[in-house]
């Protein structure tokens, strides 16, 4: 075998190995950040993703936080959320061009309570937050974020009742249909009706 061909193959092999190590270290193949300090790469990746409307999962952010050389370098990436519950609810209804009265009707919550929640005068609580999410037509990710901002437990697929609610949200069911499913399967409804035993 020619020495020149062997050198070219070895060089290509080394480049492929470097790329694989970079991908394993950074979690993905991103030429935008290749060859830079990990903290700079994290900041650039975060800015790129924010610009393109991508929101990271909490697990990804935790990995980035733990991999950062200092807490300041992580905080500089602006991955922390300072959105309040009322701001998030307004973002959701504005994006869907809904009125608060429509949310009240679709969620089954008293309109006065809905207006108080949107005004920041009261917190919805877990079941009302789920009902609001269903009334707005939230995705599962948006529902989980709404629950976090309300400082209540997120939906957990190991809990029977929560699993039913998750399934209903994923299948685009309304609040009324979700309550029907909960009742049919012997669980307490969101409106508070206990199942017949």
């Amino acid at each position: 075998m020619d020495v020149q061909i062997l050198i070219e193959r070895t060089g290509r092999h080394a480049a492929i190995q470097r790329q694989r190590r970079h991908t394993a270290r950074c979690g993905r193949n991103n030429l935008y950040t290749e060859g830079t300090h990990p903290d700079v790469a994290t900041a650039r990746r975060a800015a790129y993703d924010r610009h393109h409307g991508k929101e990271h999962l909490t697990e990804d952010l935790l990995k980035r936080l733990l991999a950062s050389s200092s807490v300041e370098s992580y905080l500089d990436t602006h991955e922390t959320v300072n959105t309040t519950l009322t701001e998030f609810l307004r973002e959701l209804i504005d994006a869907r061009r809904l009125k608060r009265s429509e949310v009240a009707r679709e969620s089954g919550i008293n309109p006065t309570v809905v207006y108080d929640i949107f005004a920041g005068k009261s917190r919805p609580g877990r079941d009302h937050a789920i009902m609001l999410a269903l009334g707005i037509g939230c995705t599962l990710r948006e529902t989980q974020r709404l629950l976090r901002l309300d400082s209540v437990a997120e939906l957990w697929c190991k809990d029977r009742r929560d699993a039913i609610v998750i399934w209903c949200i994923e299948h685009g069911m309304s609040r009324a249909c979700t309550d029907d499913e909960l009742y049919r399967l012997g669980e307490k409804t969101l409106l508070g009706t206990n199942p017949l035993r």
Side-chain angles (χ1 to χ4, degrees), residues 179-195:
D179 270 348
D180 288 346
E181 280 297 301
L182 288 166
Y183 190 82
R184 184 178 71 81
L185 295 169
E187 295 294 327
K188 182 181 172 193
T189 65
L190 294 167
L191 283 176
T193 308
N194 286 316

Side-chain angles (χ1 to χ4, degrees), residues 12 75 142 176 190:
R12 267 189 260 141
L75 294 174
E142 291 167 336
L190 294 167

Side-chain angles (χ1 to χ4, degrees), residues 10 17 33 53 60-63 72-73 75 77 84 86 93 107 110-111 121 131 135 160 162 169 179 182 185:
T10 307
Q17 291 301 323
T33 61
D60 296 337
L61 295 177
L62 179 60
K63 287 178 187 174
E72 290 86 5
S73 64
L75 294 174
T77 63
T84 65
T86 55
I93 66 168
S107 66
N110 183 318
K121 294 179 181 176
M131 291 166 71
R160 180 180 162 82
D162 285 359
I169 290 169
D179 270 348
L182 288 166
L185 295 169

Side-chain angles (χ1 to χ4, degrees), residues 32-122:
Y32 187 65
T33 61
E34 187 168 349
T36 58
H37 188 275
D39 290 341
V40 174
T42 301
R44 285 184 183 169
R45 193 176 311 112
Y48 176 84
D49 290 344
R50 267 195 319 279
H51 177 72
H52 288 80
K54 295 180 183 177
E55 184 176 324
H56 295 287
L57 296 174
T58 304
E59 295 85 18
D60 296 337
L61 295 177
L62 179 60
K63 287 178 187 174
R64 288 183 183 183
L65 173 61
L66 296 176
S68 295
S69 60
S70 70
V71 72
E72 290 86 5
S73 64
Y74 173 77
L75 294 174
D76 289 343
T77 63
H78 305 289
E79 293 286 357
T80 56
V81 177
N82 295 323
T83 304
T84 65
L85 176 65
T86 55
E87 290 169 344
F88 184 61
L89 286 169
R90 284 192 192 113
E91 287 174 19
L92 290 172
I93 66 168
D94 288 346
R96 291 166 173 80
R97 296 183 177 162
L98 292 172
K99 296 178 181 174
R100 289 181 286 181
S101 59
E102 293 171 316
V103 173
R105 184 175 56 253
E106 291 298 316
S107 66
I109 301 172
N110 183 318
T112 305
V113 175
V114 172
Y115 289 118
D116 285 348
I117 292 168
F118 273 88
K121 294 179 181 176
S122 66

Side-chain angles (χ1 to χ4, degrees), residues 3-44:
V3 175
Q4 184 63 31
I5 294 173
L6 184 61
I7 291 171
E8 286 178 14
R9 287 185 179 171
T10 307
R12 267 189 260 141
H13 177 71
I16 291 169
Q17 291 301 323
R18 277 194 308 276
Q19 184 62 40
R20 285 182 182 156
R21 282 193 303 273
H22 172 74
T23 301
R25 201 173 50 245
C26 296
R28 64 180 174 181
N29 185 4
N30 190 347
L31 297 176
Y32 187 65
T33 61
E34 187 168 349
T36 58
H37 188 275
D39 290 341
V40 174
T42 301
R44 285 184 183 169

